[in-house]
Amino acid sequence: MPSTIDDQLSREWLLTDGMGGFAMGTFAEAHTRRYHGLFVAATAPPVRRRLLLHAVFERLIVGSTVLELASQRFGPTFQEHPGGRALLKKVAVIDGRTLEWRYAATIDGDAIRLIKRLTLHTDRPGAEVHYTLDAGGRDMRVELRPMTPLRDFHELDRVHGRGPEHESGPTASVEGNDFRITRDDLAVRLTCEGATARHDPDWWYDFAYSI
């Protein structure tokens, strides 16, 4: 794991699915290119690539302590938020289609560990994010907020002003414990085993890409 933020941002990883789709990012977790993301699918293989899963903002709630794991950069000063990089201890490519992140923290002397694995499917367009948790015997709750722009991987969503009247993009609906995300002629499904899905759409503005 590179020791400095500059080294972490300059080192990139790449996974491919053999059908024109890919996942790509930095060792700092924050994206530096507009086509960085956890899954870019070739919707008409091997072309028409769309960014389906930009990132997942994870939050661990251990008793009264909240641990934020995600880290992206925002605005003209590239401010990091919510700062989960401080808990990121290791990033490793397991094979050509699986990446592993390891996070660790200490709460009142108890070690808290989380392993996140991203795997791209090779038999059909799709990706799986798997979490392994060790809370040291403490009660823990996990909240996941997926970012699903469904945009062309070379483009960015832009708004003129703030508020719903200025926003256009994907729409989401809850079907049991699944989310169905649609945009134009594209529809994707997010499934989380053992979870409770809650429809709470929100826009995140001013992602900063340095490249």
Side-chain angles (χ1 to χ4, degrees), residues 62-63 65 67 103-113 134-140:
V62 185
T65 302
L67 302 175
Y103 302 85
T106 301
I107 300 177
D108 296 333
D110 293 330
I112 309 297
R113 299 182 179 88
D134 180 359
R138 290 171 172 261
D139 292 333
M140 181 194 306

Side-chain angles (χ1 to χ4, degrees), residues 6-140:
D6 289 339
D7 288 342
Q8 292 170 12
L9 288 170
S10 64
R11 291 191 60 185
E12 297 173 286
W13 54 265
L14 172 67
L15 307 178
T16 61
D17 65 4
M19 296 175 287
F22 65 90
M24 189 177 183
T26 72
F27 276 66
E29 191 171 8
H31 299 329
T32 58
R33 305 176 188 267
R34 65 183 66 190
Y35 52 81
H36 278 172
L38 299 186
F39 186 46
V40 175
T43 58
V47 296
R48 290 188 62 193
R49 293 183 176 91
R50 303 279 286 272
L51 178 57
L52 303 190
L53 183 59
H54 175 267
V56 180
F57 279 67
E58 301 100 346
R59 172 180 290 171
L60 306 187
I61 302 170
V62 185
S64 60
T65 302
V66 177
L67 302 175
E68 301 280 1
L69 300 186
S71 187
Q72 295 294 333
R73 300 195 300 168
F74 296 87
T77 61
F78 296 94
Q79 181 178 355
E80 272 193 90
H81 179 79
R85 185 175 60 85
L87 303 181
L88 182 60
K89 306 305 180 183
K90 183 178 180 180
V91 181
V93 178
I94 305 302
D95 54 40
R97 64 186 186 93
T98 300
L99 190 82
E100 180 179 276
W101 295 261
R102 289 179 177 264
Y103 302 85
T106 301
I107 300 177
D108 296 333
D110 293 330
I112 309 297
R113 299 182 179 88
L114 181 141
I115 299 173
K116 177 172 71 173
R117 282 192 172 187
L118 168 67
T119 301
L120 300 189
H121 297 165
T122 57
D123 57 341
R124 65 193 187 282
E128 177 179 324
V129 183
H130 182 268
Y131 297 90
T132 302
L133 308 173
D134 180 359
R138 290 171 172 261
D139 292 333
M140 181 194 306

Side-chain angles (χ1 to χ4, degrees), residues 53 55-59 131 143-148 198 200-204:
L53 183 59
V56 180
F57 279 67
E58 301 100 346
R59 172 180 290 171
Y131 297 90
E143 295 182 355
L144 306 176
R145 182 181 289 271
M147 302 292 173
T148 55
R198 182 165 60 93
D200 184 21
D202 198 5
W203 275 73
W204 288 56

